[in-house]
Amino acid sequence: MRHILILMISTFWATGAWAMPRDVEFASIDGGTLQMSDWAGQPVLVVNTASQCGFTNQYEGLQALYDTYKDRGLVVLAVPSDDFNQELASAEKVKEFCELNFAIDLPMTDIEHVKGTAAHPFYKAVADETGFVPRWNFNKVLIGADGKVVATWGSTTRPQSAEIIHQIEKALD
């Protein structure tokens, strides 16, 4: 943990702004790990998700964004979370649900915490940088190719909204 803090501090002093530590990793829903460093130089839209939420149909829009922009470098990362008591009991059930109902093939993490003291280091870093903490499922964080938070959105902003697409287009240019 100390090396992450040192990396964050040195990034701040070198650039004048916080950047997401690239050594942050997530457990993958498929097994193994997903590392932010694998996507260095690419924008990443990170979304905390849940399978039993009124916003669950946003998976369709997330997959559509991924399909539209992945060849240009966009990564859409779904982070299932039960912090709002609306996720299925296991990663296996989440994966099956997403594949059957939404044909999801975008990267997904194992079930993670996104708020509070148990929050995943990614979400702690975003909160430290911006003050943004997910208030509900399907909150979105766009990380630019430079590792900086470009923008954040709440649940009611749909994945294919004009403002998200505008920010993605800018991040890809």
Side-chain angles (χ1 to χ4, degrees), residues 61-95:
L62 294 172
Q63 184 64 47
L65 276 180
Y66 183 63
D67 291 342
T68 300
Y69 293 104
K70 69 181 174 188
D71 290 341
R72 290 181 54 197
L74 178 69
V75 176
V76 177
L77 178 63
V79 182
S81 178
D82 195 36
D83 282 355
F84 305 102
N85 303 311
Q86 295 189 316
E87 189 51 274
L88 298 171
S90 70
E92 295 78 23
K93 289 182 181 191
V94 172
K95 180 179 167 99

Side-chain angles (χ1 to χ4, degrees), residues 30-87:
D30 296 317
T33 60
L34 299 168
Q35 298 182 14
M36 293 297 284
S37 62
D38 291 343
W39 304 312
Q42 296 175 258
V44 182
L45 181 66
V46 183
V47 185
N48 66 300
T49 62
S51 302
Q52 301 174 321
C53 176
F55 294 105
T56 299
N57 64 352
Q58 287 190 20
Y59 269 125
E60 186 176 322
L62 294 172
Q63 184 64 47
L65 276 180
Y66 183 63
D67 291 342
T68 300
Y69 293 104
K70 69 181 174 188
D71 290 341
R72 290 181 54 197
L74 178 69
V75 176
V76 177
L77 178 63
V79 182
S81 178
D82 195 36
D83 282 355
F84 305 102
N85 303 311
Q86 295 189 316
E87 189 51 274

